[in-house]
Amino acid sequence: MATTSPTMRRAGLCGALLALTLLLSACGFHLRGQGSQYLLPFPTLYVGLPESSPLAIDLKRTVRAYGGTTIVATPKEADGIIEVLSDPEKTRSKSILSLNASGRVRQYLLSYAIVFQVRDQQGNLLLGPTQINLTRALDFNETQLLAKEQEEALLYKDMQSDLVQQMMRRMAAIKPVAAMSLAPDVPARAPASAPQQ
């Protein structure tokens, strides 16, 4: 029986990984948040959330990570201004999703929601009020309270990351007002009619 050498096995493994990579890239797969789709259309950005807000911290970190946009401290310095229309204190909620046969909680529904819009320095609306709602189900077991608290915190953190990615996608799709105003605002004229014979 023929045996394979470690070198041949390594070459086979590398070949399989290369084939898998090519297959994933051919089907359009990208790691979440990768690519130029998150390049924002303004050089400076103001985030209208409290400095200590975990969402603000995560959003600012993500904006800085993609480069091209600088976070500024006041709206007057910003080309793009994120205005949060929902109450920042009520972005997270927890409600009972289901009960067991004895009437005790079996599952909770965790929610994370935000309504925001984006304006430019002149007050033009670049992105109208946009609502993002995320939910996750949390199985509950009262004999594992500490573990379930940790799981809840992780689920909220995952939803927050997802929320930031969705906000980035929507902002990256904004077409700046300046670019649209480059075309002269001249009313279209009707073509001159041919002189009658």
Side-chain angles (χ1 to χ4, degrees):
M1 178 181 281
T3 59
T4 57
S5 69
T7 305
M8 289 179 66
R9 271 186 267 137
R10 202 172 310 132
L13 181 60
C14 287
L17 287 173
L18 178 62
L20 180 61
T21 303
L22 291 172
L23 180 65
L24 288 173
S25 61
C27 75
F29 174 83
H30 297 285
L31 289 174
R32 184 165 70 177
Q34 297 296 310
S36 61
Q37 71 269 27
Y38 291 163
L39 291 177
L40 303 183
F42 17 76
T44 56
L45 179 68
Y46 173 76
V47 178
L49 280 166
E51 287 289 321
S52 59
S53 161
L55 178 60
I57 293 167
D58 203 359
L59 181 59
K60 290 175 183 178
R61 184 185 305 122
T62 303
V63 169
R64 290 185 184 109
Y66 287 107
T69 299
T70 303
I71 300 294
V72 293
T74 65
K76 290 180 181 178
E77 303 172 76
D79 299 297
I81 301 162
I82 297 175
E83 298 174 340
V84 177
L85 306 178
S86 53
D87 184 349
E89 298 299 319
K90 297 179 180 177
T91 54
R92 297 180 179 191
S93 65
K94 179 180 176 181
S95 58
I96 296 172
L97 184 61
S98 63
L99 302 172
N100 60 21
S102 58
R104 294 185 176 179
V105 175
R106 186 175 66 186
Q107 277 187 319
Y108 282 107
L109 183 68
L110 308 180
S111 301
Y112 206 141
I114 192 171
V115 181
F116 75 103
Q117 64 187 19
V118 181
R119 294 186 181 274
D120 66 11
Q121 202 174 50
Q122 290 72 42
N124 299 308
L125 197 61
L126 302 177
L127 177 67
T130 302
Q131 184 168 5
I132 302 174
N133 290 309
L134 301 172
T135 58
R136 299 285 190 275
L138 172 67
D139 293 328
F140 183 72
N141 186 335
E142 60 189 17
T143 64
Q144 301 173 345
L145 284 177
L146 184 58
K148 288 301 170 184
E149 284 176 7
Q150 291 172 344
E151 185 180 350
E152 180 179 332
L154 286 172
L155 285 172
Y156 273 127
K157 187 162 181 56
D158 178 64
M159 282 193 284
Q160 180 175 290
S161 297
D162 195 0
L163 192 83
V164 167
Q165 296 297 323
Q166 291 196 38
M167 290 177 75
M168 291 291 290
R169 274 198 292 274
R170 285 163 172 77
M171 290 191 294
I174 290 172
K175 300 291 184 271
V177 172
M180 292 187 283
S181 62
L182 289 177
D185 190 15
V186 179
R189 292 183 180 176
S193 56
Q196 294 185 350
Q197 298 291 333

